[in-house]
Amino acid sequence: NRALALVRYGAALRQQSKLDESGKALSEAVDVLAKLRSGGDRSEATTIGLGLGLTSQARVAGSQNKRADERALAMQSVDVLKPLMAGPNPSVPLRRTYGLAMTYLGFSQANTEEEEAAEWLVLDTARDLLAEAEEEAVVVVAVGSPDGEEQDGHEVEAGEAGGPGGAGDAVGGDGEGVGEQVPTVAEDE
């Protein structure tokens, strides 16, 4: 847990341009997470933490104009996450992390002006992964007005709505046609 917190802390320090402090926190976190993985821990949490840590280290290297280190770390991050992505039904957090890692790898490739076709393929893949993960993470529940027009929308986590085809859809199906049954009130009354 400490290593995962250090990854977040290091990423936050990088956002604040505290690159030396960020590098130290991320180095410690990545070392701990890499040792866990080499010791046999293949859990999703450890893998995601290591992937985020490596991506954050790549971002620090990029901010320090260390392009070779940036590229190597970005590629390592993608490589760490790739085996879990190849499994059946990768989770939304895993797809988000992989999408972020792929996005940064694409930008790293663009910064070094190499492999132009590969960079766009990586960025397109990352965009698609992130969009797909977001579609599954959020369901918009529409609240209709009496005239049947959509009036408002509320976002809920997919689990709350039962996911596609789940309880949220069942409730929505039961409510179809309610707008036509509600009497309208004349505006001049």
Side-chain angles (χ1 to χ4, degrees), residues 35-46:
K35 284 178 187 171
L36 286 172
R37 282 191 45 91
S38 66
D41 183 348
R42 299 288 184 214
S43 69
E44 185 175 277
T46 300

Side-chain angles (χ1 to χ4, degrees), residues 48-176:
I48 288 173
L50 183 56
L52 282 174
L54 290 166
T55 299
S56 296
Q57 282 185 317
R59 293 176 60 118
V60 169
S63 295
Q64 295 170 330
N65 289 321
K66 297 178 181 176
R67 298 295 176 212
D69 292 343
E70 173 191 28
R71 173 61 102 36
L73 289 163
M75 289 176 71
Q76 254 185 295
S77 177
V78 168
D79 290 343
V80 162
L81 297 164
K82 198 178 288 187
L84 283 182
M85 282 298 297
N89 303 317
S91 70
V92 170
L94 176 61
R95 285 186 285 170
R96 284 181 181 156
T97 304
Y98 189 69
L100 292 172
M102 293 284 286
T103 299
Y104 197 75
L105 176 59
F107 283 118
S108 173
Q109 291 171 339
N111 284 339
T112 58
E113 298 179 11
E114 295 175 13
E115 305 168 32
E116 186 173 322
E119 108 194 21
W120 291 113
L121 177 62
V122 168
L123 290 172
D124 286 345
T125 302
R127 182 195 62 228
D128 294 345
L129 281 167
L130 290 170
E132 182 181 295
E134 288 307 310
E135 284 175 12
E136 285 191 32
V138 176
V139 174
V140 176
V141 179
V143 179
S145 64
D147 62 2
E149 295 295 317
E150 184 178 340
Q151 194 171 30
D152 196 5
H154 300 281
E155 290 183 359
V156 296
E157 290 300 314
E160 293 174 5
D169 288 347
V171 170
D174 291 343
E176 289 179 10

Side-chain angles (χ1 to χ4, degrees), residues 14-32:
R14 188 238 164 231
Q15 288 294 106
Q16 297 171 358
S17 295
K18 297 178 181 177
L19 301 179
D20 291 335
E21 292 175 59
S22 175
K24 289 176 188 174
L26 290 168
S27 180
E28 182 181 343
V30 167
D31 287 347
V32 169

